[in-house]
Amino acid sequence: MNDPRDSEAAHDRPSHFIRDIIAADQQAGKNGGAVVTRFPPEPNGYLHIGHAKAICLDFGMAREFGGRCHLRMDDTNPAKESMEYVESIKTDVRWLGWDWGDHFFFSAHYFERMYAVACDLIKRGKAYVCELTQEQWKDYRGVPTRPGKESPFRNRSVEENLDLFARMRAGEFPDGSLCLRAKIDMAAPNIHLRDPVLYRIMREHHYLTGNEWCIYPMYDYAHPLEDAFEGITHSLCTLEFEVHRPLYDWVVDQLENFPARPRQIEFARLNLSYTVMSKRKLLELVQKKLVSGWDDPRMPTISGLRRRGVPPEAIRAFCEEIGITKYESLTDVALLEHCIRNALNKTALRRMAVLDPLLVTIENAEALPADIEAVNNPEDPAAGSRRIPFGSQLYIERDDFAETPPPKYFRLSPGKSVRIRYAGFLTCTGVQKDDAGAVTGIICRWDPPTAELKVKGTIHWVPAHGAQMLEARLYDRLFTIEQPDSQEGREFTEFLNPDSLKTVTAHAEPALAEAKPGEAFQFERIAYFVADSLDSKPGRPVFNRTVTLKDAWAKASKK
RNA sequence: UGCCCGAUGGUGUAACGGUAGCACAACAGACUCUGGAUCUGUUUGUCUAGGUUCAAAUCCUAGUCGGGCAACCA
C-alpha cells in the first residue's frame, strides 16, 4: 500500500485494448485466471525510454492483475550480446521501480530444451535440415507477391534429418552451410510461414554458454518456446512482430502440456520528438563520440535520463500518460518534460544560484541582517527551511536588470524596486559602467521584508561573499528538428543541436556545496538541476540541468 | 501492385450503437515573495464515399492515406 505505483495505478485513467484483453481473459478463466507477462530485452544495448513504455506495460499489467512479470534476456544471438548489457538492463529496470522477484531468466538456459523440441519436430515430420545456401534460398522463398517453391531437401527421411541435426550440433559443418527449417507452407502469403529457419550454425562465443553450442535458435522459434516454458499468458511486443504471430502460434501449437497458452499481443512503439530511439543510432552517437556515452544526459537511454536527473516516477507517469495503441504516433517531448516538472515540483528542494552574475552593491549597508531564512520547498512544508548568509554585496542574474526596461518588465531598472527572494527589496539607485558603456554593476538601496513595497517581481540572488562556485551543465534537446531520423536522404547526425550542452560557472548559495550526487534541486526561477552522479564532488559540485522551469516572460518577450 | 495492421483537435489518447471527453501544447484571465506552481476560461477533431440503423467515431463495403513484412537479426 506504500508503494508509489499503487497510487499511480489508482487514479482515474482510461483503459487500453491490452488491459481490456487481459481483463477479459482473466474473467473468462483462461489459463486458470493467471496473468504472467515478461519483458524480454536482447542484451545488445542499453535500455531507453521506448523500453520503459514496454517495461511499465509488462510489469504494470502483471501487477494490476495479481500476476507476475519475468525479466528475460533474449540472448539467442551471441554475436551481439554481452554481460555488460545484462547488468545495465537489470539496473535500469530496478531503478524504474520494478521487481521481478525470482523470475530472472536467460534464453540460453533453455537451449537444451529447445533442442529437444526441435528433435521432436523432426520426428513428427515438421522440420528438416536444409542445405540451400542463403543465396539459393532467396530464390526458393519467393517474394511477397509470388509464392515460393519447396526446398529439394524438404522431404528427407526423419532418420536423415535427425542425424544431420545432431551433426550440426556436433560441429561437423561450417557456419551457414546447413540450417534447420520448419516445414510449413511455401505458398503462404505470409513470408514468415514459408519454411522459416529454426536453427543456424554459428561459431560464436556466448557470454553464458561459452562454446558449448555452435547452433543457435532463431527468435521466431525461441521466443514462443521461452514463453511457453515460463507459463507466460500474455506476450506483449511491438507492432513489427504482428506478421510473425502466425508463426508464434504455429510453434506454440506444436507443444503439449504447458502451464499456459501464451498469446502474443502487439502495440505501437514509442516515438519521441527531437530524439532518435533506435539502438543502432544510439550506438552510433556513442561510438562517434557525439555524446559522452550511453549515460550522456542528452541520451534518451534510461541511464541518460537518470543522470539527467529525471526521477523514475516521472517516467512511469509519462508511460501511463501516452497510452497504448496500435497506431504509430509521435509523442511530443513536451509531455515528458511536463511529467518531469510535475514530479520534481513536489520533491525538489529549492536553492538559489546565479548563472550570469551582475554585482549589486547595497548603499545602506548599516542595518543588514547577517543571514536570512528561506523555505526549502513551498510545495512541501515538511521540507523545512535553511539560512542563507546575506551581505552588502550580492549577485543577481544579469537578465534581472534592464537599464531601459521593455514594457511589462517586472524586475530591476534604474529608480525601480524589486523583491529579492526571502530578503526584502532592492531599489536601483545607480548604474556602474566600464569605458565601453557596458554595465559592470549596480548600486541599490535595501529595504527589509516589512517594508512592503509595491512590486510586481521577485528575483533570486546569492551573497557575493561566501558564494559557492559550481559547474552548471545546461543541457538542451540533442536535435534541432522533431524527426531527425526521418529526413529523406539526410543523416540524423546532420540535425544535432550545437547548443545541446553549454557549461557555465554559477554562483550559488553555500548549501549547494553539500549536495549529494543524484540529489535534485530547483534553482529558483531557472530550472531543475541534479548533482551529477559521476563528476560532482564535495567542494566541487557539478550540476546537470534536468529541465527548465516554464518561462512565461521568455515566451511573451519573443513576441 | 501479395499479405497484415492502422486512421478522433497542433500532439498523445478516451468514448465498446445513444450528449465526442481527458492530458500536453497554444491563447486569455485570476492568484502568487519563483513571470514557477495553482485556479478559471477559450480555440481547434471523428480520412472520404456509400450502406445498415430511430440513432454510427463505433457495424458493413469500397476508396484514400500511413505503417509493417521478402536476415541463417531481435
Side-chain angles (χ1 to χ4, degrees):
Chain A
M1 230 28 216
N2 293 324
D3 194 301
R5 291 162 303 186
D6 285 326
S7 58
E8 281 166 25
H11 80 83
D12 256 353
R13 140 210 62 199
S15 191
H16 52 68
F17 76 101
I18 291 183
R19 176 157 25 225
D20 294 345
I21 289 172
I22 296 176
D25 283 353
Q26 192 173 53
Q27 198 138 39
K30 278 193 193 171
N31 303 310
V35 173
V36 185
T37 59
R38 101 271 94 109
F39 174 62
E42 182 186 17
N44 67 345
Y46 281 67
L47 260 28
H48 54 64
I49 181 104
H51 294 110
K53 175 181 181 181
I55 291 166
C56 291
L57 212 219
D58 290 326
F59 281 91
M61 287 301 97
R63 184 182 184 79
E64 203 174 308
F65 289 94
R68 63 177 197 268
C69 180
H70 298 184
L71 178 62
R72 180 169 73 221
M73 297 300 137
D74 210 355
D75 49 8
T76 56
N77 183 4
K80 302 201 274 180
E81 299 150 3
S82 80
M83 210 40 125
E84 176 200 352
Y85 295 125
V86 173
E87 292 309 323
S88 76
I89 288 166
K90 291 170 85 169
T91 299
D92 289 349
V93 173
R94 231 180 331 243
W95 177 77
L96 277 171
W98 302 104
D99 179 14
W100 53 84
D102 298 330
H103 309 287
F104 177 72
F105 303 102
F106 293 95
S107 301
H109 285 161
Y110 302 128
F111 283 169
E112 197 62 56
R113 287 178 80 182
M114 291 176 181
Y115 180 83
V117 171
C119 291
D120 186 53
L121 248 28
I122 290 171
K123 286 176 195 154
R124 288 188 286 138
K126 300 208 173 179
Y128 63 95
V129 173
C130 182
E131 291 173 41
L132 254 19
T133 64
Q134 286 181 56
E135 202 52 39
Q136 289 170 315
W137 181 250
K138 262 190 186 174
D139 178 45
Y140 277 81
R141 182 189 50 218
V143 292
T145 52
R146 210 173 294 278
K149 55 190 180 198
E150 299 188 347
S151 163
F153 306 101
R154 202 172 199 256
N155 295 309
R156 291 184 199 273
S157 69
V158 167
E159 292 68 31
E160 192 181 2
N161 277 317
L162 242 22
D163 174 59
L164 250 16
F165 188 47
R167 287 163 61 196
M168 275 171 66
R169 174 179 182 173
E172 289 189 25
F173 308 105
D175 286 10
S177 58
L178 304 186
C179 68
L180 185 73
R181 290 186 184 285
K183 191 191 286 187
I184 307 181
D185 179 6
M186 288 309 294
N190 182 338
I191 298 238
H192 299 281
L193 258 17
R194 318 240 263 233
D195 289 11
V197 173
L198 266 25
Y199 273 91
R200 76 279 214 185
I201 303 175
M202 178 165 60
R203 284 170 178 78
E204 269 309 328
H205 182 270
H206 191 287
Y207 68 85
L208 269 190
T209 58
N211 296 324
E212 188 185 342
W213 294 86
C214 66
I215 58 172
Y216 290 96
M218 300 291 293
Y219 168 87
D220 281 320
Y221 173 69
H223 206 87
L225 290 185
E226 296 154 11
D227 284 347
F229 292 166
E230 294 179 13
I232 301 298
T233 58
H234 300 269
S235 184
L236 314 179
C237 64
T238 45
L239 248 30
E240 67 268 27
F241 293 105
E242 209 158 16
V243 284
H244 295 240
R245 190 175 353 121
L247 179 51
Y248 180 99
D249 287 336
W250 182 90
V251 174
V252 170
D253 285 342
Q254 307 312 311
L255 305 171
E256 283 168 7
N257 300 324
F258 278 94
R261 158 77 218 207
R263 171 178 181 184
Q264 175 180 302
I265 306 169
E266 312 84 13
F267 62 94
R269 62 166 4 108
L270 170 69
N271 298 296
L272 250 198
S273 62
Y274 298 98
T275 113
V276 295
M277 209 72 97
S278 89
K279 279 187 187 173
R280 198 215 96 215
K281 296 193 179 86
L282 295 177
L283 182 63
E284 187 176 336
L285 289 171
V286 172
Q287 287 181 336
K288 290 186 173 169
K289 301 205 183 302
L290 299 169
V291 295
S292 66
W294 286 102
D295 65 347
D296 186 296
R298 293 164 293 184
M299 291 282 273
T301 49
I302 302 301
S303 53
L305 294 166
R306 178 167 59 230
R307 198 169 167 196
R308 177 82 171 246
V310 176
E313 65 268 27
I315 297 177
R316 277 184 256 125
F318 172 73
C319 290
E320 192 63 56
E321 209 58 51
I322 56 179
I324 302 292
T325 65
K326 299 191 71 162
Y327 175 66
E328 286 277 3
S329 59
L330 178 67
T331 297
D332 194 340
V333 268
L335 182 60
L336 211 214
E337 293 168 351
H338 165 261
C339 292
I340 297 169
R341 290 190 187 100
N342 194 40
L344 256 15
N345 179 47
K346 294 175 199 135
T347 57
L349 298 183
R350 270 54 169 179
R351 293 292 182 261
M352 291 198 286
V354 169
L355 266 30
D356 183 13
L358 178 65
L359 185 65
V360 174
T361 304
I362 294 175
E363 58 183 19
N364 56 331
E366 316 79 42
L368 300 181
D371 56 14
I372 58 97
E373 181 163 24
V375 304
N376 284 328
N377 185 353
E379 304 285 325
D380 178 15
S385 65
R386 78 227 182 246
R387 299 200 76 86
I388 308 174
F390 199 61
S392 61
Q393 291 203 306
L394 310 175
Y395 287 117
I396 64 167
E397 211 69 61
R398 189 164 283 274
D399 269 1
D400 288 339
F401 172 78
E403 198 174 9
T404 48
K408 291 191 178 170
Y409 185 81
F410 301 155
R411 289 109 91 176
L412 257 191
S413 49
K416 295 286 174 50
S417 303
V418 76
R419 193 194 316 270
I420 55 172
R421 189 77 162 142
Y422 301 119
F425 301 87
L426 250 29
T427 303
C428 178
T429 57
V431 182
Q432 301 163 316
K433 297 181 182 179
D434 62 14
D435 295 342
V439 176
T440 55
I442 59 174
I443 312 293
C444 289
R445 189 186 71 241
W446 177 79
D447 284 291
T450 48
E452 291 184 7
L453 297 183
K454 282 253 188 292
V455 296
K456 295 196 85 168
T458 299
I459 64 173
H460 60 278
W461 56 275
V462 296
H465 299 290
Q468 169 66 46
M469 304 305 283
L470 57 81
E471 179 179 331
R473 297 173 179 170
L474 309 180
Y475 291 105
D476 200 352
R477 296 172 178 173
L478 227 205
F479 295 95
T480 54
I481 61 171
E482 282 199 330
Q483 297 190 74
D485 54 358
S486 311
Q487 304 305 309
E488 197 84 33
R490 308 280 300 271
E491 270 299 307
F492 73 101
T493 48
E494 293 176 46
F495 304 101
L496 281 164
N497 176 8
D499 299 320
S500 61
L501 169 58
K502 278 187 264 186
T503 303
V504 301
T505 301
H507 295 71
E509 59 175 285
L512 281 173
E514 300 149 24
K516 291 185 277 294
E519 199 175 0
F521 297 94
Q522 182 196 102
F523 292 2
E524 293 211 49
R525 300 209 312 130
I526 302 175
Y528 292 100
F529 282 83
V530 68
D532 189 77
S533 51
L534 259 41
D535 300 331
S536 196
K537 298 281 180 317
R540 197 193 159 281
V542 176
F543 282 85
N544 301 329
R545 183 170 72 190
T546 308
V547 63
T548 60
L549 253 32
K550 280 197 198 166
D551 188 346
W553 168 254
K555 208 183 291 176
S557 59
K558 253 183 239 167
K559 289 189 294 196

